[in-house]
Amino acid sequence: MLWSFQGIKAQNTSTMENQEAVKAITNAIENYYFKGIYEGDEMLLGSILQPGTFLFGDVKNQPYFKTVDLYLDGVKNRQSPKDSGKPFKGEIIDIRVVNSIAVAELNVKMYDFNYRDFLSFHKINGQWLIVNKMLTDVSNN
């Protein structure tokens, strides 16, 4: 019985840690990722993107690839969704955490697009940072 009890205790600790991780990742997505995209604030957005991050996917059935620097430059130099007057909605669909890594699935409606994003996170020096972004335009689906 003792082994079973110890296993349960460890599992509860892990669950509590996962809940804290999900909370921290949710905060990063809502207050840095969504807000940075919406306001066109490349500094805010860049603060949760690990240097060297790559972005892959497709937009209107065309392959999409950018480095984090090219992506942030694009955010900086385009009209922000906030200034465009068009609707913007960011939604967290799912967050899965295993130890120091996590994947978040998001839906982002902006301009005339409806993106499905998959963000890979890694906890680095106590902070959850995006280390990879995959996206696809699901507007026509």
Side-chain angles (χ1 to χ4, degrees), residues 16-31:
M16 287 175 53
E17 289 171 3
N18 273 1
Q19 289 173 348
E20 288 300 314
V22 168
K23 191 175 177 180
I25 292 166
T26 298
N27 178 62
I29 292 168
E30 291 177 347
N31 295 308

Side-chain angles (χ1 to χ4, degrees), residues 40-95:
D41 187 337
E42 84 283 358
M43 297 298 286
L44 183 65
L45 184 57
S47 70
I48 62 158
L49 290 161
Q50 173 70 15
T53 295
F54 290 114
L55 296 83
F56 296 95
D58 59 78
V59 178
K60 294 189 177 184
N61 295 319
Q62 295 300 309
Y64 179 96
F65 167 78
K66 288 190 178 180
T67 64
V68 68
D69 294 332
L70 286 172
Y71 173 66
L72 291 172
D73 189 56
V75 169
K76 177 182 176 181
N77 291 306
R78 72 179 179 206
Q79 183 182 41
S80 72
K82 179 181 179 180
D83 293 339
S84 75
K86 293 188 177 188
F88 175 91
K89 182 180 180 189
E91 173 189 11
I92 299 171
I93 297 170
D94 189 34
I95 298 174

Side-chain angles (χ1 to χ4, degrees), residues 116-133:
R116 183 66 48 95
D117 292 354
F118 292 88
L119 305 178
S120 299
F121 283 84
H122 187 212
K123 191 172 186 180
I124 302 171
N125 297 324
Q127 182 182 11
W128 287 97
L129 297 173
I130 298 168
V131 295
N132 186 60
K133 174 179 174 176

